[in-house]
């Protein structure tokens, strides 16, 4: 072509493209652009580790520096995915260890990671910088010791919410004295005592440390010292903040230091700390630049009102239940707290809220106050609770949310909900990417509204709803435009699963049923769980446990 | 192979509002909803669930409320001193975590805020005399005691349950007295004046206290 740029120029231009969407678009222009782009892509995000194989990724992108990947479906967080289902990181780690000697960043979510994998990571990449393991499991502190000892340029070690077998706290001492690169350390999931002096020394020699999340075993009296050594902290989380209430009284000389740190804090995770509302308010009112707050419902409506008054930059709020299984409310937290925050915080865009009562009026008010919501997740402890004032379904309330919040990307609903709410969602939630539904709806019509109406839908997860074959089969083609669909305790028959798999060769239809082979029961019998996802890897994954069935290419039932 | 024209199938359907247990459809096999665990659930429990009223049994539903087990375990480890609090005249129970509080003053202030009442200040001689409500608790031995009499540390380890009584009812409880005492005082037609009462109680206190 007379007008084509030299490769180097194109590559330079492409280097300014960071979004995957842009890069994907660029690679579709022509073969030569595809080739140039693939050689210079440095970051890849694999939303479902089974959607593609390591070989395919490595073949297409030979020069990656950062890989981010997700494994189990979200409902695995709530024990709805049986143990041993899959999402093992090792095959990926092993393949990448060979292919990417210059890999710098690995971020995994909901995957099973072994000490073996961690050791392999620590020894394979000379310039490894970032390891983030979110909600992962399968490793111990020995694996962490390898990372600490061998990754000389480690910047970020983040184990958020992972289940780590805690063999000892000594792993922290494996960071060599020469390691000064730490920017972020999150070890809040670990239980055992770490050597506090090792921690202090690590903090002292990490001038770039911005984020520190500690576990409960850090003695609080020494926290003040730690904070003073890290004045550049922007994110702080600690489980034993109870002592802070006494802290204010006992160590007033530290207060100026605390206050100055507080004003810099933009993210606060107190969701494991049992602190009464009055103390929470004292702390939070010092953190005027707070953008993100995770807290337990001990904060109560009064605390949320105070939050709304002092934290005008708040973007994300998560309120978790302190006593989720109690029959009676143990704190005074109601829908009013959420209404206050929606009124007072103009930048609030992301909410996760557990409470025990809700009304359409409150939801409508919230929707009108905050049309800029991007994520709205509401969990009422009684999953089919109606509007507590009128006893009607909460259809109108959630309808108002989707109608007013035009940028809504994620929605979780609870409460008494009929097919009507799904009609609203299908008509209005055009930017919705992820929807979680539980104990809602009346018929297949509900599911049909969602699948046919939500143009941007990527992930749909449903439990205990009367949705079945009709809606699923009628919208089979839609499923290929989505990352995944999860349905458990619904009314999807094995026959429909087979039919879907036959119709849609690029979908993997996994029937996850612990009652034995599905073909030992009548075809119209409902399956316990079905997980449908698009994939370009082979349909049958090699690590399927014996309670998972998929259809192979020749439409015969396969199980391991 | 079935061909479903989605439009034809669904536009004819009216919104059929049925309030029933999810998964229940007369024409289909009942799906085993609600009692799914990694282990087999008992079929008896399944039947019970499916035939019962629309709300699923609360504590028996797997994965509900959607709190990560990681978080659940953390909470369990944190709280260990939850006690129920009832107040005479209030329609519901509340629960508090005694670990929150450092002393009686903090605790009582919190209770006042929670129940919107005035409890006032404790005095050893007069208990909560003069205030509308008196906080009492049931200790490990099953005795009802007035809050404030024993050292704080002893209190939080022995308190099983709280009851915010009307002050008039709590008069017999100053010190380590058993609940039968006020009844004795009130039903035996003993003429009581405030001075008599407080002096009498002080004497009783010194007799009864172990």
């Amino acid at each position: 072509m007379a007008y084509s740029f030299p490769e180097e120029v194109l590559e330079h231009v492409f280097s300014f493209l960071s979004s995957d969407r842009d890069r994907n678009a660029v690679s579709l222009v022509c073969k030569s652009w595809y080739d140039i782009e693939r050689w210079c892509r440095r970051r890849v995000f694999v939303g479902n580790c089974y959607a593609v194989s390591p070989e395919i990724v490595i073949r297409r992108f030979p020069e990656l520096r950062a890989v981010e990947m997700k494994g189990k479906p979200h409902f695995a967080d709530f024990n709805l995915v049986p143990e041993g289902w899959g999402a093992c990181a090792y095959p990926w780690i092993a393949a990448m260890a060979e292919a990417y000697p210059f890999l710098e960043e690995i971020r995994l979510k909901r995957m099973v990671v072994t000490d073996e994998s961690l050791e392999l990571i620590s020894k394979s990449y000379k310039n490894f910088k970032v390891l983030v393991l979110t909600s992962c499991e399968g490793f111990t502190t020995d694996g962490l010791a390898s990372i600490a000892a061998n990754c000389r340029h480690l910047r970020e070690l983040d184990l958020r919410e992972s289940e780590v077998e805690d063999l000892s706290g000594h792993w922290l001492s494996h960071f060599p004295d020469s390691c000064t690169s730490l920017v972020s350390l999150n070890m809040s999931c670990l239980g055992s005592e770490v050597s506090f002096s090792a921690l202090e020394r690590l903090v002292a020699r990490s001038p770039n440390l911005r984020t520190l999340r500690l576990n409960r075993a850090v003695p609080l009296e020494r926290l003040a010292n730690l904070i003073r050594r890290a004045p550049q902290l922007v994110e702080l989380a600690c489980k034993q903040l109870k002592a802070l209430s006494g802290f204010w009284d006992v160590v007033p000389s530290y207060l100026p230091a605390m206050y100055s740190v507080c004003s810099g804090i933009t993210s606060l995770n107190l969701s494991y700390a049992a602190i009464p509302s009055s103390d929470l308010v004292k702390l939070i009112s010092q953190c005027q630049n707070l953008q993100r707050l995770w807290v337990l419902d001990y904060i109560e409506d009064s605390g949320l009102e105070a939050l709304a008054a002092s934290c005008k930059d708040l973007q994300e709020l998560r309120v978790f239940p302190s006593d989720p299984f109690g029959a009676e409310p143990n704190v005074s937290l109601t829908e009013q707290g959420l209404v206050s925050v929606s009124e007072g915080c103009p930048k609030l865009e992301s909410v996760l809220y557990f409470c025990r009562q809700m009304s359409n009026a409150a939801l409508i008010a919230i929707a009108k106050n905050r049309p800029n919501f991007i994520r709205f997740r509401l969990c009422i402890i009684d999953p089919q609770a109606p509007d507590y004032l009128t006893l009607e379904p909460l259809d109108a309330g959630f309808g108002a949310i989707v109608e007013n919040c035009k940028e809504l990307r994620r929605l979780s609903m609870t409460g008494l909900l009929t097919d009507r709410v799904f009609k609203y969602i299908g008509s209005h939630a055009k930017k919705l990417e992820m929807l979680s539904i539980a104990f809602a709806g009346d018929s297949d019509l509900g599911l049909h509204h969602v699948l046919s109406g939500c143009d941007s839908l990527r992930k749909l997860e449903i439990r205990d709803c009367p949705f079945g074959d009709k809606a699923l089969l009628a919208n089979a083609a839609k499923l290929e435009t989505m990352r995944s669909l999860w349905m458990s305790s619904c009314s999807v028959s094995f026959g429909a699963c087979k039919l879907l798999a036959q119709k849609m060769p690029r979908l993997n239809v996994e029937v996850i049923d612990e009652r034995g082979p599905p073909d030992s029961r009548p075809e119209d019998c409902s399956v316990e769980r079905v997980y449908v996802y698009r994939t370009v890897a082979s349909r049958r994954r090699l690590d399927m446990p014996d309670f998972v069935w998929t259809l192979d290419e020749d439409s015969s039932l396969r199980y391991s | 192979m079935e061909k479903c024209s989605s439009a034809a199938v669904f536009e004819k359907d009216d919104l059929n509002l049925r309030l029933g247990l999810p998964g229940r459809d007369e024409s289909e096999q009942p799906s085993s909803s609600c009692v799914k665990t990694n282990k087999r659930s008992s079929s008896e429990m399944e039947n019970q669930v499916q035939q019962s009223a629309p709300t699923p049994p609360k504590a028996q539903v797997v994965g509900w409320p959607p709190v990560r087990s990681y978080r659940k375990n953390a909470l369990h480890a944190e709280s260990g001193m939850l006690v129920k609090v009832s107040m005479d005249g209030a329609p519901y129970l509340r629960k508090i975590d005694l670990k929150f509080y450092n002393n009686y003053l903090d605790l009582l202030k919190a209770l006042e805020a929670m129940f919107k009442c005035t409890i006032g200040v404790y005095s050893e001689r007069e208990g909560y005399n003069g205030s509308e409500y008196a906080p009492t608790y049931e200790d490990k031995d099953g005795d009802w005691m007035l809050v404030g009499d024993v050292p704080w540390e002893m209190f939080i380890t022995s308190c099983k349950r709280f009851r915010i009584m009307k002050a008039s009812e709590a008069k017999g409880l100053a010190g380590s007295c058993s609940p039968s005492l006020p009844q004795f005082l009130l039903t035996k037609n003993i003429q009581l004046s405030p001075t008599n009462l407080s002096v009498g109680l002080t004497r009783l206190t010194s007799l009864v206290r172990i």
Side-chain angles (χ1 to χ4, degrees):
Chain A
M1 281 238 299
Y3 300 110
S4 63
F5 289 115
E7 262 184 43
E8 298 79 29
V9 176
L10 277 174
E11 208 179 295
H12 182 71
V13 171
F14 294 169
S15 70
F16 292 100
L17 298 175
S18 50
S19 106
D20 286 339
R21 208 165 276 180
D22 290 342
R23 282 186 164 264
N24 292 344
V26 147
S27 62
L28 290 174
V29 167
C30 63
K31 274 205 176 134
S32 82
W33 279 38
Y34 175 92
D35 247 337
I36 295 167
E37 192 282 320
R38 75 185 188 91
W39 279 94
C40 68
R41 192 174 308 207
R42 297 284 175 261
R43 323 187 73 88
V44 131
F45 169 69
V46 178
N48 172 5
C49 63
Y50 291 120
V52 68
S53 70
E55 292 72 39
I56 294 174
V57 174
I58 290 168
R59 193 168 60 224
R60 180 166 172 192
F61 301 117
E63 303 266 320
L64 292 182
R65 296 280 185 273
V67 172
E68 185 178 344
M69 190 171 316
K70 295 186 180 180
K72 300 186 205 174
H74 174 237
F75 274 177
D77 284 356
F78 317 124
N79 297 331
L80 293 178
V81 178
E83 197 72 33
W85 173 78
C88 296
Y90 190 78
W92 283 90
I93 304 288
M96 294 193 304
E98 276 205 42
Y100 299 131
F102 300 111
L103 193 69
E104 294 176 0
E105 303 178 14
I106 293 179
R107 292 175 171 80
L108 304 176
K109 184 166 184 177
R110 275 188 217 103
M111 295 193 76
V112 178
V113 181
T114 55
D115 283 348
E116 212 185 354
S117 299
L118 290 178
E119 205 179 316
L120 195 54
I121 290 173
S122 75
K123 300 208 165 125
S124 309
Y125 311 116
K126 300 290 173 265
N127 212 22
F128 195 70
K129 297 199 168 102
V130 173
L131 181 65
V132 178
L133 301 175
T134 307
S135 306
C136 293
E137 52 169 349
F139 59 102
T140 76
T141 41
D142 286 352
L144 296 180
S146 314
I147 298 285
N150 301 319
C151 300
R152 317 219 142 220
H153 306 284
L154 196 68
R155 268 189 0 220
E156 232 178 284
L157 177 61
D158 189 333
L159 308 169
R160 53 182 90 153
E161 317 238 326
S162 290
E163 308 223 358
V164 186
E165 195 182 330
D166 216 324
L167 300 175
S168 99
H170 287 311
W171 69 273
L172 197 65
S173 317
H174 285 257
F175 278 110
D177 287 336
S178 54
C179 177
T180 57
S181 46
L182 263 188
V183 174
S184 169
L185 177 62
N186 177 353
M187 39 182 261
S188 53
C189 56
L190 298 174
S192 62
E193 292 253 352
V194 291
S195 152
F196 194 77
S197 47
L199 179 62
E200 265 184 325
R201 284 198 310 272
L202 185 61
V203 169
R205 68 175 183 274
S206 305
N208 299 313
L209 191 66
R210 291 210 132 35
T211 299
L212 185 60
R213 289 189 177 193
L214 306 171
N215 65 358
R216 74 182 70 170
V218 170
L220 241 297
E221 315 84 72
R222 304 180 79 171
L223 182 64
N225 264 336
L226 201 63
I227 290 173
R228 280 197 313 182
R229 286 165 191 262
Q232 69 285 5
L233 269 183
V234 294
E235 192 174 329
L236 174 67
C238 182
K239 288 182 189 180
Q240 274 191 330
L241 273 178
K242 172 188 189 252
L244 263 184
S245 58
F247 194 69
W248 300 117
D249 307 316
V250 167
V251 283
S253 55
Y254 289 128
L255 280 176
M258 279 302 298
Y259 290 159
S260 67
V261 172
C262 283
S263 63
I265 287 181
T266 56
S267 172
L268 205 48
N269 182 352
L270 302 172
S271 62
Y272 296 95
I275 309 178
S277 180
S278 49
D279 287 339
L280 277 172
V281 169
K282 272 192 219 156
L283 177 60
I284 288 168
S285 51
Q286 297 304 319
C287 303
Q288 270 125 14
N289 293 311
L290 203 59
Q291 290 173 13
R292 186 169 68 171
L293 176 64
W294 291 20
V295 74
L296 285 170
D297 58 7
Y298 292 129
I299 194 170
E300 302 198 321
D301 288 343
S302 52
L304 289 175
E305 227 180 281
L307 175 71
S310 36
C311 302
K312 294 304 184 184
D313 272 351
L314 194 70
Q315 291 171 19
E316 178 182 329
L317 173 66
R318 297 196 190 190
V319 179
F320 294 97
S322 53
D323 186 18
F325 304 106
E328 301 292 338
N330 62 322
V331 290
S332 181
L333 179 108
T334 68
E335 80 281 9
Q336 190 47 49
L338 188 55
V339 173
S340 308
V341 181
S342 73
E343 265 168 16
C345 301
K347 299 193 188 166
L348 188 66
E349 58 179 28
S350 176
V351 160
L352 168 62
Y353 198 76
F354 281 80
C355 61
R356 288 174 188 267
Q357 66 186 40
M358 189 48 62
S359 65
N360 283 311
L363 283 171
I364 291 169
I366 291 165
K368 297 228 163 96
N369 288 336
R370 288 276 67 77
N372 49 322
F373 272 141
I374 291 178
R375 281 170 226 103
F376 187 76
R377 297 158 70 187
L378 180 70
C379 180
I380 308 172
I381 298 287
D382 174 0
Q384 289 182 311
D387 175 331
Y388 78 99
L389 296 168
T390 65
L391 297 184
E392 287 178 351
L394 289 171
D395 299 339
F398 281 105
I401 295 280
V402 292
E403 209 174 332
N404 285 290
C405 306
K406 304 207 191 300
E407 300 298 313
L408 197 67
R409 294 202 307 250
R410 182 167 180 183
L411 177 65
S412 304
M413 311 189 292
T414 31
L416 186 63
L417 296 164
T418 72
D419 283 347
R420 190 165 288 140
V421 74
F422 299 112
K423 191 164 191 207
Y424 297 147
I425 291 174
S427 327
H428 295 287
K430 294 305 181 184
K431 299 239 178 121
L432 194 66
E433 295 178 4
M434 181 168 177
L435 179 62
S436 311
I437 312 171
F439 302 102
D442 312 301
S443 73
D444 271 29
L445 199 51
L447 179 57
H448 173 69
H449 284 311
V450 170
L451 288 176
S452 58
C454 296
D455 300 333
S456 310
L457 198 62
R458 289 192 356 241
K459 288 183 281 185
L460 180 57
E461 47 184 24
I462 304 172
R463 64 162 295 178
D464 292 278
C465 295
F467 298 152
D469 303 346
K470 270 199 293 190
L472 202 57
L473 293 171
N475 292 283
K478 170 74 174 179
L479 299 179
E480 223 180 72
T481 69
M482 291 165 53
R483 182 187 300 172
S484 65
L485 166 69
W486 169 277
M487 292 177 74
S488 55
S489 304
C490 296
S491 312
V492 179
S493 71
F494 180 56
C497 293
K498 283 208 296 194
L499 209 54
L500 184 62
Q502 279 165 358
K503 248 177 123 163
M504 308 295 300
R506 285 185 296 194
L507 290 181
N508 207 355
V509 180
E510 287 191 15
V511 171
I512 303 168
D513 204 318
E514 290 171 288
R515 299 171 298 177
D519 52 2
S520 66
R521 288 181 291 278
E523 280 219 349
D524 58 355
C525 188
S526 298
V527 298
E528 283 181 346
R529 309 167 193 83
V530 61
Y531 184 44
V532 183
Y533 53 89
R534 64 182 176 190
T535 181
V536 296
S538 94
R539 277 169 109 183
R540 182 192 165 203
R541 54 183 176 94
L542 298 170
D543 59 351
M544 278 189 339
D546 60 9
F547 50 81
V548 180
W549 287 268
T550 61
L551 238 56
D552 212 348
E553 263 77 47
D554 60 359
S555 296
S556 60
L557 186 60
R558 285 287 185 185
Y559 44 90
S560 64
Chain B
M1 202 131 78
E2 223 185 283
K3 256 199 203 160
C4 284
S5 152
S6 46
V9 166
F10 288 103
E11 269 161 28
K12 291 191 191 136
D13 281 344
D14 282 334
L15 275 177
N16 207 349
L17 291 179
R18 285 175 291 131
L19 292 180
L21 188 65
R24 236 171 84 207
D25 187 323
E26 291 72 49
S27 61
E28 292 176 27
Q29 291 261 354
S31 69
S32 46
S33 60
C34 295
V35 279
K36 207 59 41 52
T37 51
N38 292 350
K39 315 182 214 48
R40 298 258 175 279
S41 56
S42 78
S43 54
E44 192 186 270
M45 193 146 78
E46 269 182 47
N47 286 337
Q48 234 178 29
V49 164
Q50 305 215 329
Q51 286 149 24
S52 66
T55 23
K58 282 164 205 190
Q60 292 162 28
V61 178
V62 171
W64 195 269
V67 175
R68 295 200 55 224
S69 46
Y70 175 81
R71 197 170 280 283
K72 269 186 264 173
N73 295 337
L75 285 178
H76 247 279
E78 286 293 340
S79 72
M81 290 190 186
L82 284 176
V83 292
K84 291 190 183 166
V85 185
S86 64
M87 178 163 99
D88 289 356
Y92 49 77
L93 286 181
R94 300 284 293 276
K95 266 202 267 187
I96 56 170
D97 188 342
L98 290 179
K99 266 174 55 162
F100 265 172
Y101 308 100
N102 299 315
N103 52 51
Y104 283 121
L105 193 60
D106 287 349
L107 171 62
L108 295 176
K109 275 204 301 204
L111 287 175
E112 283 183 336
M114 206 183 279
F115 287 98
K116 317 254 188 301
C117 63
T118 40
I119 295 177
V121 176
Y122 173 78
S123 82
E124 200 174 305
R125 267 172 33 108
E126 304 199 345
Y128 290 88
N129 230 2
S131 47
E132 206 188 328
Y133 287 98
T136 65
Y137 71 100
E138 185 183 2
D139 72 0
K140 277 197 284 222
D141 303 324
D143 295 328
W144 282 91
M145 318 269 281
L146 203 59
V147 169
D149 190 54
V150 303
W152 172 255
E153 295 304 327
M154 191 188 301
F155 163 72
I156 56 176
T157 50
S158 61
C159 172
K160 271 179 26 194
R161 208 161 24 133
F162 243 90
R163 183 177 153 206
I164 302 179
M165 281 186 202
K166 288 268 164 62
S168 48
E169 283 193 36
K171 285 213 158 89
L173 293 179
S176 327
C177 300
S178 68
S180 57
L181 190 56
Q183 265 139 28
F184 168 79
L185 287 174
L186 296 171
T187 57
K188 295 283 184 186
N189 283 322
I190 295 170
Q191 287 288 68
L192 296 169
S193 72
T195 34
N196 274 357
L197 184 61
S198 55
V199 166
L201 284 173
T202 314
R203 283 219 195 102
L204 274 164
T205 304
S206 56
L207 283 174
V208 172
R209 191 176 303 194
I210 301 156

